[in-house]
Amino acid sequence: KLRRRFLPVDKRFTPFFPIKSAHDGLHVVYVGSLCVTKGIPVLIDAFSRLDDPNARLTLVGGYGSRGMRRYLQAAMRQDRRIAIVVGDPLPHLHRADALVHPSYSDGLGLAPMEALACGLHVVVTEDTGMKEYVREGVNGSIIPTGRWEPILAQLKQLAISKNVGSASLAVCD
């Protein structure tokens, strides 16, 4: 017999609306294992090409291997906008503008579900089960797997949207 089982997101993952401005820059977060199969090198390639000195990428998770640790340490030396943290992802989700989950293969990623529960825009790949929960342009974006170009395009669009949203808020004040 097959039984359908739903994995609920913890109730503490709820939207939080800190005051942000366009000067803060785009803040992107990734939550999960820092390994090749999760698409971390593709995310780093895309983010390093983002021409925004105020943008930040926070990777929340542990290294999948010594090779990945060396790779990420080199990436952080080249781009000071990248940071790696461990621990509870909730504070990082609350400060972020978007979560990118560039995995090559995932049945269902809990981190993107938690990000959706926090009201974040999520960017997921087409080869994961998360695509079933993303409504293109409404709560996230679905991109091709294994390519940095679509991630960069989404990051640029999010940065533009953030600046437009902040500018329109400033006009309303």
Side-chain angles (χ1 to χ4, degrees):
K1 284 186 174 181
L2 294 176
R3 292 183 186 203
R4 179 176 250 180
R5 182 159 182 187
F6 295 97
L7 297 173
V9 173
D10 192 287
K11 292 177 184 174
R12 66 192 190 97
F13 288 92
T14 58
F16 177 73
F17 302 104
I19 297 173
K20 296 180 183 180
S21 73
H23 302 293
D24 291 339
L26 182 68
H27 186 189
V28 179
V29 69
Y30 164 86
V31 177
S33 177
L34 305 177
C35 61
V36 173
T37 59
K38 295 292 187 172
I40 297 301
V42 178
L43 175 56
I44 296 295
D45 285 348
F47 187 80
S48 67
R49 289 173 168 86
L50 184 63
D51 189 26
D52 179 356
N54 295 320
R56 292 174 291 143
L57 172 61
T58 302
L59 306 171
V60 182
Y63 298 108
S65 67
R66 282 182 279 178
M68 182 56 70
R69 185 187 77 229
R70 287 192 300 270
Y71 169 79
L72 288 172
Q73 287 173 342
M76 287 188 299
R77 281 192 300 272
Q78 287 182 329
D79 191 342
R80 299 284 183 203
R81 303 173 302 163
I82 301 171
I84 297 173
V85 297
V86 295
D88 186 4
L90 185 59
H92 304 287
L93 292 173
H94 280 167
R95 288 190 296 268
D97 297 304
L99 175 126
V100 178
H101 189 73
S103 183
Y104 283 90
S105 171
D106 254 336
L108 179 69
L110 186 57
M113 292 296 284
E114 292 169 344
L116 284 174
C118 287
L120 283 180
H121 181 94
V122 297
V123 178
V124 299
T125 56
E126 61 191 0
D127 291 325
T128 67
M130 271 309 299
K131 68 181 177 203
E132 303 298 325
Y133 295 90
V134 174
R135 293 183 309 192
E136 189 70 42
V138 176
N139 65 353
S141 304
I142 303 167
I143 59 168
T145 304
R147 296 182 43 224
W148 61 264
E149 297 92 341
I151 296 173
L152 179 58
Q154 287 299 311
L155 295 180
K156 286 181 177 180
Q157 186 61 44
L158 288 165
I160 290 168
S161 298
K162 178 180 176 152
N163 290 338
V164 168
S166 295
S168 64
L169 287 175
V171 171
C172 293
D173 288 344

